[in-house]
Amino acid sequence: MSVSWDRGVLVVGAGIGGLTLALQLHRVGVPFRVIEAAPWLEAIGVGVNILPHASRELHELGLGDALDRVAIRTREARYYNRFGQAVHTEPLGAAAGYRWPQYSIHRGDLQGILLDALSARAGTGSVQLGTRLVGIEQHERGVRAAVETRSGPATITADVVVGCDGVHSAVRRELHPGASGPVYSGCTMWRGATLWPPFLGGAALVRAGWLASGKMVIYPIRDDVDGQGNQLINWVAEIETPQRSDRSWNREGSIDDIIEPFSDWNFDWLDVPGLMRATGTILEYPMVDQEPLERWTSGRATLLGDAAHPMVPRGSNGAGQAILDTRALARALAEADDPAEALLDYESQRREATSRVVLQNRRNPPDAILREVYERTGDRPFSHIEDVMPAAERERLLESYRAVAGYSLDDLARGGGGT
Ligand SMILES: Cc1cc2nc3c(=O)[nH]c(=O)nc-3n(C[C@H](O)[C@H](O)[C@H](O)COP(=O)(O)OP(=O)(O)OC[C@H]3O[C@@H](n4cnc5c(N)ncnc54)[C@H](O)[C@@H]3O)c2cc1C
C-alpha cells in the first residue's frame, strides 16, 4: 500500500460540485486535490439549468464567456396543461431583470467547462481520475483517506476531506452509517436529448401536464448543433408509478415505457411524441430525495452538493445549490485558522438553507402551478386561466420558490441571495 503525504483539501468527486469547489479553492489560494472514481469523465446525463444565483458564481469564476459559447441563455418559462393550453409565462434570467443570465446546458458541457478551466489554472494533475474513496480515518491533525486506484489501494492524507461524491456518497456513508435511504416521490422520469428545430423562439423552458396523467419539461441545451439551425432539445417525461428501479444516472430506459401518455401531445408549438421518438438514448431515473441530515460535518470531514442534500430534480436546483455550497466553503476555509471550525461555519451557512430547498422541491416546486391547474380543472381543458388560477396567485407561488431557493430578484440585486 502506498501513502502519499498531501496536505490541503481532499475534494472527493469531480462532478459539478467538486470541480466548482476546486476552482473556488484555487481562487482563494487554498491547496487542494480532486479525486474521481470514474476512469474518465463522459458526457453522461442530459440537461441541467443554472439559475441566476449559481450563474453569478460561475461568472465570478470567469466562466461567463465559456458558458455563452456552449449553453443557451434561457429567456422564459412557459407552463401548459396537457391539452397545450397556456397556463403561465414568466421571464427568466437577464430577461427578468437579473444581472446574471439563466443557462440551460448539457451536464457534460458544464462539467467540461469546469474541468478545462481547472486544468488551465491549476494544472492537469489537479484531478486524479480512476481513484475511488473507500474509507476515511480522522486523527488530530488531519484525515487519512483510503482509496482504490488503477494500480491498487492507496492512502491520501489531507487537512480536510470534502465529500462531493453525489447521491451514492461514500463520505456520507462514513459520517452517517445509519442514515435513512432514498425516499421515493411516487414518480419516475425518463430523459433524453434530441436534435430538433427551435420551438417557441429557441430559448424557452416548457413545463407541461401533471404527474398523474404525465408531465414534461422541455428546453434547448445547445444551439445550431448541425450548422442548419437545429438545437439539442432536452426533454424529461415524468409519470406516477410504483418505484421501478434504484437510482442510477446511467440506467437506460425504453420509449415504449413512457410514450403512451404523451402520444397525442401534438401541439402547434411542438410535436412532443415526434421529439421523443427521434431520441437515441433514453435514461430512466426514479424521483427520489433523502431526509435532510442533522449535521454534515464531523471533525475535518464534511459534505457538499448531492452528497449533503440530495433533492428531487425539480426546480433546477441540484447543480445550483452545489455551486452555492462551494462559495461558502471556500470562503470559510480561506478565512479560518482552524479547518474544523471552517467546516462548521460552512455548514451553518448552508445546511438549513438547502434543507428548505429539499423540502420545497417535495411540496411546492415551481411546477406546483400545474398541479393546481390539474386539480382545479379535474384534468380538463379550461375556458379562462384567470378563472382557474389568477396571475397574482401563480406569481405568488413562483416567488415563494425563488425566495426559498435563494434567487429572488430583490435579494440578488442587493448582493444577497444564494443562502
Ligand atoms: C453521470 C451523471 C449524470 C447525471 N445526469 C444528470 C442529469 O441528466 N440531470 C440532472 O439534473 N442531474 C444529473 N446528474 C446529477 C447532477 O450532476 C447533480 O445533481 C448536481 O450537479 C450536483 O452535483 P454533485 O457534484 O453534488 O454530484 P455529481 O455531479 O453527481 O458528482 C459526483 C461525482 O462524484 C464521483 N464519485 C462518486 N463516488 C465517488 C467515490 N467514492 N470516490 C471518488 N469519486 C466518487 C462521481 O463519479 C461523480 O463524478 C448526474 C450526475 C452524474 C454523476
Side-chain angles (χ1 to χ4, degrees):
M1 178 184 288
S2 66
V3 176
S4 70
W5 295 102
D6 191 27
R7 307 304 294 184
V9 179
L10 179 62
V11 178
V12 183
I16 306 308
L19 291 173
T20 312
L21 176 63
L23 285 165
Q24 300 270 25
L25 292 171
H26 180 262
R27 183 165 69 151
V28 296
V30 173
F32 66 91
R33 173 200 281 205
V34 184
I35 58 166
E36 165 58 48
W40 54 81
L41 295 179
E42 282 181 285
I44 299 172
V46 284
V48 293
N49 250 265
I50 303 296
L51 298 171
H53 51 0
S55 176
R56 171 180 68 183
E57 296 310 314
L58 299 180
H59 275 252
E60 286 180 1
L61 283 168
L63 304 175
D65 289 345
L67 285 167
D68 279 323
R69 271 195 298 278
V70 300
I72 301 280
R73 281 186 174 222
T74 311
R75 284 199 298 268
E76 61 181 5
R78 291 189 180 219
Y79 298 78
Y80 295 89
N81 65 7
R82 75 181 172 95
F83 309 101
Q85 293 181 290
V87 167
H88 190 73
T89 300
E90 60 165 336
L92 296 177
Y98 288 95
R99 216 173 115 195
W100 298 276
Q102 175 162 336
Y103 291 106
S104 298
I105 185 168
H106 193 292
R107 180 186 175 275
D109 289 344
L110 177 57
Q111 196 177 24
I113 288 173
L114 297 169
L115 185 62
D116 288 350
L118 186 62
S119 303
R121 296 173 195 183
T124 48
S126 53
V127 179
Q128 197 174 313
L129 296 173
T131 306
R132 175 181 295 279
L133 180 126
V134 290
I136 53 177
E137 193 185 296
Q138 300 208 38
H139 52 90
E140 205 181 313
R141 296 185 52 76
V143 184
R144 286 164 66 95
V147 296
E148 298 286 350
T149 72
R150 280 173 271 205
S151 45
T155 302
I156 299 172
T157 303
D159 291 315
V160 296
V161 61
V162 185
C164 307
D165 46 349
V167 292
H168 301 291
S169 172
V171 180
R172 181 182 172 120
R173 267 198 314 277
E174 288 279 313
L175 302 185
H176 294 279
S180 56
V183 180
Y184 184 55
S185 70
C187 64
T188 289
M189 66 173 177
W190 283 256
R191 300 167 293 144
T194 316
L195 212 61
W196 203 260
F199 65 95
L200 295 173
L205 184 154
V206 167
R207 296 183 170 105
W210 187 244
L211 300 167
S213 50
K215 187 191 136 226
M216 292 212 65
V217 182
I218 311 171
Y219 54 87
I221 51 175
R222 281 185 199 145
D223 223 351
D224 192 16
V225 264
D226 55 359
Q228 295 174 32
N230 286 310
Q231 294 180 313
L232 189 65
I233 308 290
N234 175 81
W235 60 263
V236 182
E238 295 169 50
I239 187 88
E240 281 178 358
T241 165
Q243 187 165 359
R244 302 160 43 96
S245 55
D246 293 335
R247 53 184 173 177
S248 158
W249 291 114
N250 310 335
R251 183 180 313 283
E252 285 203 22
S254 160
I255 185 78
D256 298 332
D257 289 333
I258 190 60
I259 190 73
E260 199 277 323
F262 306 100
S263 53
D264 59 351
W265 283 34
N266 208 325
F267 306 128
D268 55 3
W269 45 271
L270 187 66
D271 168 10
V272 176
L275 175 82
M276 294 170 80
R277 284 205 175 89
T279 307
T281 303
I282 293 176
L283 299 167
E284 177 181 333
Y285 192 83
M287 299 286 266
V288 291
D289 62 13
Q290 277 175 247
E291 291 304 331
L293 291 169
E294 285 182 2
R295 66 178 170 84
W296 291 351
T297 304
S298 171
R300 287 168 175 252
T302 196
L303 303 168
L304 182 146
D306 278 0
H309 43 72
M311 56 184 71
V312 176
R314 191 175 279 156
S316 312
N317 257 294
Q321 295 297 326
I323 290 167
L324 298 184
D325 291 346
T326 68
R327 171 178 76 162
L329 179 53
R331 282 192 189 165
L333 282 164
E335 285 165 13
D337 294 329
D338 176 357
E341 272 176 24
L343 300 192
L344 289 175
D345 175 17
Y346 150 71
E347 177 176 329
S348 74
Q349 292 179 56
R350 295 296 300 154
R351 191 172 53 77
E352 282 183 19
T354 51
S355 298
R356 284 196 292 274
V357 184
V358 170
L359 298 178
Q360 188 81 354
N361 273 16
R362 242 182 227 182
R363 297 180 198 130
N364 272 328
D367 50 14
I369 282 186
L370 297 173
R371 178 193 64 211
E372 290 304 308
V373 172
Y374 173 90
E375 287 175 357
R376 294 176 195 188
T377 59
D379 194 26
R380 280 191 290 276
F382 52 76
S383 303
H384 303 288
I385 186 60
E386 287 304 303
D387 298 338
V388 180
M389 191 177 191
E393 190 187 353
R394 303 193 301 265
E395 179 47 34
R396 256 198 318 278
L397 194 149
L398 291 171
E399 180 53 22
S400 74
Y401 187 78
R402 290 184 207 112
V404 168
Y407 67 103
S408 84
L409 184 57
D410 289 349
D411 276 358
L412 284 196
R414 284 197 302 271
T419 52

